[in-house]
Amino acid sequence: MSSDIVLETRRLVKRFGGITATNEVSLTLRRGARHALIGPNGAGKTTLINQLTGVTPPTEGQVLLGGRDITGLAPHRRVALGLARTFQINQLFGELTPMQSLALAVSSRRDAARRWWKPMGSDREIATEVEALLAQFRLEAHADRLTRELPYGKRRLLEIGLAVALKPSVLLLDEPAAGVPAGERQDILDTVAALPADVSVLLIEHDMDLVFSFARSMTVLVNGAVLTEGTPEAIAADPRVRAVYLGEQHGR
């Protein structure tokens, strides 16, 4: 395995009864990648992400992280090894503020959460990191507001911020722009574009503006199998892709 390959799947298969959700999917993600996974509804994209993160065990095949076989590892073990994700539906604590949520994530990564007798925020290094994350994810003005009261776009930004707070080597973004109003989408586009260069990103997204502004390489999944891979330009020009997903009217 090449030293610059940070995440790899080998012939991943997932069957649910008589349905094959992923069919021998082999995928490689290189260091610093900006890679998009696209395909029509039901193509198997989220099932693949769930296999990468350990939520859904594969029926066959392997998942490797940094050359290590993690196929049988629990989700929290994968996070500890540097694999983080966001979800289509926000997984947030509505009664916490963004500052509190980010402080918990940073404290957990630093193992400071075990020091339960210390008031949260008393560690200056943690507080400094949280302040930087609030600025990076455009949440400074909302730092002390309850998460459940945030505009939806800000909640999406907070979820990405929580994943980045874990300092992953690989970040899986599952439709970060899903449900975000048009007026708040630019923040998502700009923030995703500005993610740390040393973090390898795999993006699942239906928003083609986000996909084509972000991705340097792409994989198209159809009926659980890889249809093709390539640059955004090559994918947009592929008549098979245009037929099944982008549509002939997509003038790229």
Side-chain angles (χ1 to χ4, degrees), residues 36-100:
L37 179 67
I38 68 170
N41 288 329
K45 301 184 297 296
T46 295
T47 299
L48 178 60
I49 291 294
N50 286 340
Q51 290 174 89
L52 294 176
T53 55
V55 174
T56 303
T59 307
E60 299 172 16
Q62 291 178 292
V63 180
L64 294 93
L65 181 66
R68 173 178 176 174
D69 189 339
I70 62 168
T71 311
L73 291 186
H76 72 278
R77 295 280 306 281
R78 301 183 194 213
V79 172
L81 291 173
L83 180 64
R85 74 171 291 183
T86 64
F87 294 82
Q88 286 183 16
I89 300 173
N90 283 327
Q91 307 286 306
L92 300 171
F93 295 104
E95 298 305 313
L96 296 181
T97 67
M99 182 179 290
Q100 290 169 331

Side-chain angles (χ1 to χ4, degrees), residues 2-247:
S2 173
S3 61
D4 71 334
I5 296 177
V6 293
L7 182 67
E8 182 180 8
T9 69
R10 295 179 179 172
R11 302 173 71 91
L12 272 190
V13 175
K14 182 60 185 179
R15 298 189 187 95
F16 297 99
I19 298 173
T20 301
T22 55
N23 188 6
E24 297 196 352
V25 174
S26 294
L27 177 73
T28 57
L29 196 68
R30 298 186 179 275
R31 195 174 312 281
R34 296 293 184 264
H35 193 97
L37 179 67
I38 68 170
N41 288 329
K45 301 184 297 296
T46 295
T47 299
L48 178 60
I49 291 294
N50 286 340
Q51 290 174 89
L52 294 176
T53 55
V55 174
T56 303
T59 307
E60 299 172 16
Q62 291 178 292
V63 180
L64 294 93
L65 181 66
R68 173 178 176 174
D69 189 339
I70 62 168
T71 311
L73 291 186
H76 72 278
R77 295 280 306 281
R78 301 183 194 213
V79 172
L81 291 173
L83 180 64
R85 74 171 291 183
T86 64
F87 294 82
Q88 286 183 16
I89 300 173
N90 283 327
Q91 307 286 306
L92 300 171
F93 295 104
E95 298 305 313
L96 296 181
T97 67
M99 182 179 290
Q100 290 169 331
S101 296
L102 289 167
L104 282 173
V106 173
S107 297
S108 175
R109 191 196 78 237
R110 290 171 171 263
D111 210 26
R114 295 175 184 268
R115 302 198 293 271
W116 51 268
W117 61 89
K118 294 186 66 174
M120 187 167 65
S122 64
D123 187 316
R124 188 59 218 165
E125 288 186 2
I126 291 176
T128 298
E129 187 171 340
V130 169
E131 289 167 5
L133 286 164
L134 287 168
Q136 179 180 353
F137 291 95
R138 297 166 167 78
L139 292 166
E140 290 172 297
H142 303 272
D144 297 314
R145 191 173 173 185
L146 292 180
T147 295
R148 60 178 169 80
E149 297 175 353
L150 294 178
Y152 189 68
K154 295 298 183 184
R155 279 180 267 164
R156 301 299 286 187
L157 287 171
L158 175 57
E159 189 175 23
I160 300 171
L162 290 170
V164 170
L166 299 174
K167 292 202 177 295
S169 58
V170 177
L171 177 60
L172 311 178
L173 297 177
D174 195 351
E175 299 196 34
V180 176
E184 299 175 45
R185 283 178 65 257
Q186 193 60 47
D187 273 355
I188 303 290
L189 290 168
D190 294 342
T191 301
V192 170
L195 287 170
D198 60 341
V199 177
S200 306
V201 183
L202 178 62
L203 170 76
I204 296 179
E205 185 54 66
H206 284 290
D207 185 322
M208 288 296 103
D209 288 333
L210 175 53
V211 167
F212 279 93
S213 68
F214 171 82
R216 296 195 291 264
S217 57
M218 300 171 69
T219 297
V220 183
L221 206 62
V222 177
N223 296 326
V226 174
L227 176 68
T228 187
E229 294 181 312
T231 64
E233 295 75 20
I235 295 298
D238 191 316
R240 297 170 301 167
V241 177
R242 295 170 68 87
V244 302
Y245 189 67
L246 296 179

